[in-house]
Amino acid sequence: MLVEGGHRYSMAELKLLARRIFQETISAIDIPLAMQRKLRREGTKLCLEDADVDLRAFAKVRVVAIGKAAHAMVEGLASLLAGEFAFTGVVAAPTPPLFAVGGMTYFVGGHPTPDEQSWKAAEAILALLADCDEKTIVFFLLSGGGSALVELPLDARQTLEDVRQLHRALVTCGAPIDAMNTVRKHLSAVKGGRLAVAAGRATKITLAVSDVPAGKESALASGPTLPDPTTVADVRRVMEEFALREKLPAALRRWIDEGEMPETPKEEHPAFRNARFSLLLGLDDLFHPAHHATEAKGFVACCDNTTDDWPVEKAAEYLLAQLDEVRRANPGQRVAVIADGEVSSPVRGKGIGGRNTAFVLACVKKIAGKNIAVLSAGTDGVDGNSPAAGAVADGETLERGRAIGLNSTYMFRESDSYTYFARLGDTIVTGPTGNNLRDLRILLAEGEEKKQKRKT
């Protein structure tokens, strides 16, 4: 609690504290350590949260690792198996490994748009799974980003450029992630439960680092190993709502119009009878270290995940209102709101940026002149088409921008939020973190100064 005469954080200091809280949170998320907490070996038995698996029962161990956290997850599993159980597999990640794990074939796939390596990774995974039988156990290690890192169309007539055009249309149309994944899953040979089907009678263990809301795990990497709750009718609804049809390649439009789109595998499919899903890291694993780091710096902090998939400006308005509410409830104290999830930020211009820098830019006018700092960044180190993870602003940002000729309204409209903050030196640049939970937003406010009683 603030005391009279105590130090009050300036705007610049609040901004620096927000950066520190973000960095400390990222440092606290250790994937191999999480794997050791959630899984353990007892001789030949692998003990999961809800079941034990005796590895001696299997003649073959296969590993498929897909996503931004793929390297750390493979290292964690290799450590757990400790050389006693040989395995082979495929890794698809956005960066090459610092060191390769024996038996694994690596692909550096494209993100956010699939590329040739994404296509080849999908082919390699399907070839690996074709060799599976009831004496095979397959570990699927999934994390965010997998939708682009591994891709192959159901319709063999489609080209890589057709696939790329589809993904560009999806990520720029303003649809929430679950709507995008509804479309992806129905058009892909490797999404929406189809990898589980490809593995046939094998025992399937999916271990996940999730960047999707709780209860929507089938959206993670477009749910390659889980039953798909969405339908062909849902695809048509999404395409109409977000005016997608005319943005699709001609070959894909013809395929859809001819009624060739099959339904994705559902819960009753036999491929899911011997399949298990276990969450290694999720929402709480992001909120807990962020909350701890914030309170350790003297803030009364609350966590809020209400704004997931909200339009960026609505989310900014809501979270700043929450910050004011926490401030009123705790007079004289510095306060914080910590939020996670992905806001919706359609690409309207030809600028550089992503949903995190767009969120912070949406806050700049609203916090002008106030002792408030706002940070939003991706835990994967990536924000849209920019080289940054996100950005941070304070009550002086608007005037600093105006002083060097930056127009926040125009740059927001042109989807050029990264350029705005790069000119001010306020981007958050981490490089790829090797992790991918959810976006993290940190809003900090200094406590109101106590009014001195007038002497009579």
Side-chain angles (χ1 to χ4, degrees), residues 152-429:
L152 196 68
L154 265 178
D155 178 17
R157 294 170 295 180
Q158 291 177 46
T159 66
L160 175 58
E161 184 49 43
D162 291 335
V163 171
R164 290 170 61 83
Q165 185 176 336
L166 166 65
H167 277 253
R168 283 193 295 263
L170 287 172
V171 299
T172 59
C173 73
I177 188 65
D178 55 347
M180 286 191 271
N181 285 336
T182 295
V183 177
R184 286 169 173 157
K185 288 188 281 191
H186 280 81
L187 305 181
S188 172
V190 294
K191 296 176 169 58
R194 290 193 168 109
L195 287 190
V197 173
R201 292 173 293 169
T203 295
K204 309 160 191 82
I205 307 292
T206 299
L207 306 175
V209 173
S210 179
D211 65 341
V212 300
K216 294 186 177 182
E217 284 75 19
S218 66
L220 176 64
S222 297
T225 64
L226 291 176
D228 179 28
T230 69
T231 65
V232 169
D234 293 326
V235 175
R236 298 188 185 281
R237 175 185 54 76
V238 170
M239 290 175 60
E240 182 176 351
E241 182 177 350
F242 295 96
L244 275 170
R245 189 182 182 284
E246 296 309 312
K247 299 176 184 177
L248 300 180
L252 180 55
R253 287 202 304 271
R254 284 195 299 271
W255 186 73
I256 293 172
D257 292 344
E258 290 166 2
E260 296 294 329
M261 189 192 327
E263 195 51 270
T264 45
K266 306 305 179 190
E267 195 167 0
E268 63 274 9
H269 195 287
F272 303 115
R273 290 175 190 162
N274 55 348
R276 293 184 177 89
F277 181 96
S278 180
L279 192 64
L280 290 179
L281 291 170
L283 168 63
D284 288 345
D285 299 287
L286 180 61
F287 269 160
H288 286 167
H291 189 269
H292 176 77
T294 305
E295 292 208 327
K297 292 169 178 55
F299 291 83
V300 175
C302 76
C303 296
D304 190 301
N305 65 351
T306 307
T307 56
D308 196 44
D309 281 340
W310 283 22
V312 62
E313 291 174 284
K314 181 182 176 183
E317 193 82 42
Y318 172 85
L319 290 175
L320 286 169
Q322 288 294 96
L323 188 68
D324 281 343
E325 188 174 315
V326 177
R327 201 182 206 177
R328 287 194 299 272
N330 297 275
Q333 294 180 285
R334 50 180 71 110
V335 298
V337 169
I338 302 163
D340 84 321
E342 298 180 358
V343 293
S344 174
S345 181
V347 177
R348 298 189 177 94
K350 297 182 178 179
I352 303 172
R355 59 180 177 258
N356 288 292
T357 48
F359 174 85
V360 181
L361 189 52
C363 292
V364 163
K365 278 189 177 180
K366 303 178 192 301
I367 65 174
K370 300 177 182 178
N371 209 353
I372 291 174
V374 174
L375 179 149
S376 184
T379 55
D380 59 351
V382 179
D383 186 43
N385 64 351
S386 81
V392 62
D394 62 23
E396 296 175 338
T397 298
L398 183 65
E399 283 306 314
R400 288 175 57 226
R402 286 174 174 169
I404 60 172
L406 300 178
N407 184 319
S408 62
T409 302
Y410 172 79
M411 297 181 84
F412 181 86
R413 189 170 61 242
E414 290 299 305
S415 303
D416 205 17
S417 50
Y418 167 80
T419 303
Y420 183 91
F421 292 109
R423 291 279 306 277
L424 293 172
D426 283 336
T427 56
I428 309 292
V429 180

